[in-house]
Amino acid sequence: MATVVPTSELKLAPQGKLTLCPLDALLGRLGLLKATAVVDLTNKKLVRRLILEDGCVQALISNARDDRFVDWWLSQGGGAFVSDQQREQLLADSGNSPSTAAAIVRSGLVDGPAIERLLVEHLLAMVADMAGWTDATYRITPGRVALGEEPVARWPAIDAALMLARVKIATLRRPPPAPQYVIAYAGWSTDRPAIDELESALLEKSVDAIRTTLLIDGESSGGDQRERTLAALVRVGLLNEIKPHLIAPEIEAPQGEVSEAELKEWLAAGTAENLEKLLGVSANADAAQVRRAYYRTVRRFHPDRFNSGPLAQYHAQVELAFRLVHEAHEVLTNSTAREAWIKRRQGPAPADPGKMARDLFSRARRALAEGRRGEAVDYLQRCVEQPQHELTHALYLWLLLLGNPRRRADAVEHLAQLSRAHPKRADLIAAYGLALQRSGREDEARAEFKRALQLDPTQPIARVASGVKGSFDVTKLDPLLAAIFS
């Protein structure tokens, strides 16, 4: 098969929103372009600056003190073998400088070779946290930055991008479908340490234009892993999409614009989990008809088509419904799975969602009381998916997720929304204050705690977070408070 020039080149806007160009895709493109630049990532008042040299992330500078390398290092266990005098000297030596790795090297507490590894760990933690930012923006300024005596990390941006993409794809129940036709980006290098064996094998096979289906063994246990790997490679730009009509005229193109009425009907099918209606096939459609309908649905209702334009308001709903499209293809092309799906649809009516939410909430509290935090988060996530869950259920979930660096930004945003929507709920206001405090925004946090205590002087989160004397004992009475203040 002859090589075809990719139609999706490595184009990169100098600024934009991370919702349109996610952090893994952004870092992937910068790595492949071997960019030397400064990338400012802004999430409300928090600004983190990534400094790149020849496609490698060298350092991170932030306007939040907790983000500084010396403060991060002390909080991650470095302070365990540092005396109070050494700590004070170290903080004084670093002063107000946003770059503080040199201060640790000068102190003799960490030798030169070890600092680079620690810098990469610091960057990894910061980048993983930024992957959860929802309303953030980026701005790229080309040019070299002189860091003076500051040590640098030299972390390839493509490695960071792959790390993020793998985690993101692995957390999805179903990976997003890869393009129908793909071609490898010509600039990828086999000596990249981030490229694993499966990724390398797929890239080697796809140097020329090739059908995605030829790279996936859907019948074996490895098929799903290949699909997830392909999805990650596409996100970071190591695989490019070929427009189907350039290489396979028999594949039909999208059939014009989607009307609002048509989109609403399709979304309703997704909400009802009506897989046949979601793909637009009849109850007796054979596997070949389902496959054709699947590709037509992917092209017609892909979320990227609704990023902008008159139907952009439905983008979030389209993303949710689209997650079922791949599952619909798998179920309806497998007679056994299809029969089981039909039986499930004909089964008894679902339990009362309000009671289900309360049961899941009780399980979450019990799990927290027994120290099973991860299990509690899982119960709470399922709880808030119920249509009749309570505000307290959502409050518990987002407070727990404040302790997860990858979900913290999302938790802060949700707690902010809850606080704004319910200005008389002291618990929601106090929770938002705690989110601000955990994000390093102390002045704003104190203002929220003050508001909460004016509404309810006994509000436990505001009292404990504000350091009110004797208030910490109340955490023993509530497993959530014990978990978030432990």
Side-chain angles (χ1 to χ4, degrees), residues 44 134-135 408-418 420:
K44 295 186 175 62
T134 53
D135 293 328
R408 183 175 298 148
D410 198 22
V412 172
E413 180 60 29
H414 278 82
L415 289 170
Q417 292 174 2
L418 290 174
R420 288 193 295 266

Side-chain angles (χ1 to χ4, degrees), residues 58 355 397:
Q58 290 191 318
K355 183 178 183 301
L397 173 63

Side-chain angles (χ1 to χ4, degrees), residues 10-21:
L10 288 169
K11 295 178 181 178
L12 187 57
Q15 60 185 21
K17 295 184 177 181
L18 287 185
T19 51
L20 301 179
C21 183

Side-chain angles (χ1 to χ4, degrees), residues 178 202 211-219 222-224 226-227 230:
L202 291 174
R211 281 176 181 264
T212 305
T213 49
L214 296 179
L215 299 177
I216 302 172
D217 178 10
E219 300 301 321
D224 187 59
R226 284 187 177 85
E227 199 154 359
L230 282 169

Side-chain angles (χ1 to χ4, degrees), residues 60 72 83 131 224 282 295 355 393 454:
L60 176 138
W72 172 86
S83 66
D224 187 59
S282 64
Y295 290 122
K355 183 178 183 301
H393 303 163
Q454 286 173 343

Side-chain angles (χ1 to χ4, degrees), residues 162 166 188 193-206 228-230 232-233 238:
L162 275 167
R166 289 172 183 145
W188 78 278
I195 304 292
D196 66 24
E197 187 175 345
L198 177 55
E199 290 165 345
S200 180
L202 291 174
L203 288 169
E204 291 286 1
K205 287 182 179 179
S206 59
R228 292 179 186 277
T229 302
L230 282 169
L233 293 172
L238 287 174

Side-chain angles (χ1 to χ4, degrees), residues 301-354:
F301 294 101
H302 194 284
D304 288 351
R305 298 193 70 191
F306 303 95
N307 276 332
S308 58
L311 300 179
Q313 69 203 59
Y314 296 102
H315 181 260
Q317 298 175 55
V318 171
E319 282 192 321
L320 287 174
F322 195 77
R323 295 176 185 175
L324 282 174
V325 170
H326 182 74
E327 182 174 354
H329 173 264
E330 280 195 347
V331 169
L332 299 181
T333 53
N334 182 304
S335 58
T336 303
R338 189 171 190 167
E339 184 178 346
W341 171 70
I342 292 172
K343 287 182 178 178
R344 285 199 304 273
R345 291 190 67 197
Q346 296 172 343
D352 171 43

